[in-house]
Amino acid sequence: MKEKDLRRSLSVLPIGTVMKLTSLTARQIRYYEEQGLVSPERNEGNRRMYSLNDIDLILEIKDYISDGMNISKIKNVYEQRKQEAFNSGSRNKLSDQEARRLLSDELLNVGGLNSKDVKGNNSF
DNA sequence: ATTCTCACA
DNA sequence: TGTGAGCA
């Protein structure tokens, strides 16, 4: 059952495809990478190659940004969740899935305290 | 035709 | 972020 997971993680999509699938501009997509939100591979021509997982992640990032959240905050949460998942769960079978799951969880939380305060929970 | 990096309106 | 320049 991990074969699909593997395929899902294969970076074979050029940025052009990602643009169409996410409705984002190349600029934005590259910018997210710059902020450490996505980590596309690079082919021999230095071209960015994205995986389906990347698409998924970018799609979510796009959503959160649409909800009016700062890149830095998303970045922060994502890296934080990623490391926690790495330390507590399986330290080898990374958490592309887990990370994304945790990411959305945290992000919803953080998103709520965006225009309010930090004492309570998410204002959902 | 496509993508890349860099830099500026 | 958009956009254009100059490469690969």
Side-chain angles (χ1 to χ4, degrees):
Chain A
M1 309 275 204
K2 340 183 162 176
E3 297 164 31
K4 294 191 177 180
D5 235 66
L6 198 62
R7 270 187 270 236
R8 189 182 306 258
S9 298
L10 286 184
S11 305
V12 290
L13 315 171
I15 198 168
T17 304
V18 182
M19 291 174 68
K20 295 171 185 171
L21 267 45
T22 63
S23 300
L24 290 171
T25 66
R27 184 79 159 89
Q28 294 175 299
I29 299 170
R30 298 192 188 109
Y31 181 63
Y32 299 163
E33 176 189 2
E34 192 177 80
Q35 301 308 300
L37 285 88
V38 287
S39 307
E41 315 251 326
R42 293 295 187 117
N43 64 15
E44 292 188 18
N46 197 39
R47 267 73 220 273
R48 280 173 249 268
M49 298 304 272
Y50 299 81
S51 69
L52 294 176
N53 278 328
D54 291 328
I55 304 288
D56 227 59
L57 186 52
I58 293 174
L59 245 17
E60 292 180 55
I61 294 168
K62 178 202 172 195
D63 253 49
Y64 299 127
I65 292 178
S66 301
D67 269 2
M69 199 170 352
N70 294 0
I71 299 272
S72 40
K73 182 163 289 187
I74 300 175
K75 173 194 170 192
N76 201 341
V77 176
Y78 176 66
E79 290 189 358
Q80 185 182 320
R81 293 301 89 184
K82 188 170 66 174
Q83 283 196 44
E84 279 187 25
F86 184 82
N87 289 312
S88 56
S90 37
R91 52 261 174 194
N92 153 7
K93 91 182 303 195
L94 199 45
S95 19
D96 221 17
Q97 281 189 332
E98 243 187 314
R100 201 179 315 115
R101 195 272 171 195
L102 296 167
L103 170 63
S104 52
D105 192 61
E106 274 302 317
L107 250 32
L108 284 174
N109 195 343
V110 178
L113 51 81
N114 195 26
S115 50
K116 269 287 184 174
D117 45 77
V118 194
K119 57 182 178 210
N121 283 316
N122 47 330
S123 48
F124 246 61

